[in-house]
Amino acid sequence: MNRMLGTVSMGVRAPIIREGDDLIKIVTESIMGAIESSNLQPHDRDIVAITEAIVARSQGNYANVDQIAQDIRNKFGGVTVGVIFPILSRNRFAICLRGIAKGCKKVVLMLSYPSDEVGNHLVDWDMLDSCGIDPYRDILTEEEYRKNFGYVRHPFTGVDYVTYYSDLIRESGAEVEVIFANDPRAILNYTKNVLHCDIHTRARTKRLLKAAGAEIVYGLDEIMTSSVDGSGYNEKYGLLGSNKATEDKVKLFPRDCQDMVEKIQAKLFELTGKHMEVMVYGDGAFKDPIGKIWELADPVVSPAYTSGLVGTPNELKLKYLADNDFPELSGEALKDAIKERISQKDGSSLVGNMVSEGTTPRRLTDLIGSLCDLTSGSGDKGTPIIYIQGYFDNFTSL
């Protein structure tokens, strides 16, 4: 009988990871345990993925509020700082903001609107339209924002982030002023010292600020890039990708992962005789059409992966073949014709070829990372390791 299953993504249970744990040993033992207990047959190009959270935990890659504050003081000198384009998140940004505020005399907080970078809305477009406000042009004070929109709470968290962030800043010992704008250069009317907190637009923001005369400019990716008083750090991404660990500490995005994924790959080959691919994953990259939240708050989906995961899919669109190349065929004849066409692929790129139109134009690591993020979830499933089989199969695979 022909194999009926294609891609299968499975969450693998693992112990609770603590600092100093041997993650290479834990991951390989967990995968082997899953294979044996579930009577799975390992194959070449199976994928093993590890959530970034347990990698960072095993590394002890943490920073507390005081350490963040010290780095802010070191870079800005304890003066007034414009903190612009933060995402609206208690998990992602609140503890970072406490540290930032503790290192400043005053924070001018500039929020993008109607939403933050990843889709958390302060207001909706209908409210803007009804008030005649153009978010691409208009700069609002907090008073103007309140007059037009009142006290808007996030639909999922129930939090008024304007109040929440303002209170955090005051509680941390700094003055606060809140404005709303989408042009980063608007902050320069208030201060020439700027910490921009955007994720995927950060290079453009920095370029515009410097060209417009900003004096001290850092991105969130440039805070905590080296150890401060014994803290963890991330030399490439700084505070980007960090998550709340405790009320005064964040877990940073993991560092130095490439050697780990390659060692896990080698160990699995030793144990199974199969050449598997291995990656570390964080947030997936997809958008919720109801909440309008774009999931990707990490700087990248995958900070480390083995070489077999480089590239993009190179696939034929089966329905295109069926409707255009073989419209007269059906049943086994159609199946055989499509299999023959697939077998003729020679590995050359199908970009621009109509027969590949409609296939997902994203990197493999982004697609697989999104699959892993959805499989593992973010709560109490207890499956920080994902085992995927059949991802690189196609209609001809036995």
Side-chain angles (χ1 to χ4, degrees), residues 106-306:
K106 178 180 178 179
V107 170
V108 182
L109 182 66
M110 190 173 94
L111 301 174
S112 58
Y113 75 104
S115 71
D116 69 8
E117 182 182 0
V118 297
N120 293 296
H121 276 67
L122 286 170
V123 296
D124 62 43
W125 279 98
D126 291 337
M127 294 177 72
L128 291 179
D129 292 341
S130 65
C131 294
I133 293 174
D134 181 353
Y136 301 109
R137 179 196 63 206
D138 296 333
I139 301 169
L140 305 178
T141 64
E142 183 174 0
E143 181 181 2
E144 290 168 330
Y145 171 85
R146 295 298 190 193
K147 179 181 177 182
N148 284 286
F149 309 121
Y151 290 78
V152 181
R153 295 181 179 274
H154 191 283
F156 291 153
T157 66
V159 173
D160 174 355
Y161 278 96
V162 179
T163 298
Y164 178 58
Y165 279 179
S166 296
D167 288 347
L168 277 180
I169 292 167
R170 293 189 189 96
E171 290 165 5
S172 300
E175 301 172 49
V176 61
E177 181 175 0
V178 183
I179 61 171
F180 304 81
N182 291 305
D183 186 334
R185 293 166 292 195
I187 195 65
L188 300 181
N189 295 320
Y190 300 82
T191 176
K192 303 295 185 184
N193 308 309
V194 186
L195 174 65
H196 60 92
C197 304
D198 46 341
I199 306 162
H200 307 292
T201 55
R202 61 188 184 274
R204 176 178 183 267
T205 296
K206 185 182 294 292
R207 172 173 57 80
L208 290 175
L209 287 168
K210 287 188 171 181
E215 294 174 0
I216 303 176
V217 182
Y218 287 97
L220 207 62
D221 59 325
E222 297 171 294
I223 307 300
M224 303 307 299
T225 54
S226 59
S227 182
V228 176
D229 295 334
S231 72
Y233 63 94
N234 189 302
E235 64 269 51
K236 187 173 184 180
Y237 298 120
L239 282 175
L240 288 184
S242 62
N243 295 85
K244 178 180 178 178
T246 69
E247 291 303 321
D248 68 351
K249 185 167 65 173
V250 293
K251 174 195 64 61
L252 302 175
F253 209 51
R255 61 180 192 269
D256 305 326
C257 305
Q258 191 60 39
D259 183 61
M260 182 195 71
V261 297
E262 290 173 359
K263 285 181 176 177
I264 291 172
Q265 182 184 56
K267 185 64 177 177
L268 288 170
F269 181 79
E270 176 188 323
L271 293 170
T272 67
K274 303 299 180 181
H275 186 86
M276 302 186 191
E277 304 299 340
V278 183
M279 66 182 287
V280 175
Y281 70 94
D283 279 345
F286 48 83
K287 186 172 182 177
D288 168 16
I290 303 300
K292 302 180 180 66
I293 298 170
W294 183 39
E295 179 71 8
L296 186 56
D298 286 327
V300 290
V301 173
S302 176
Y305 44 88
T306 51

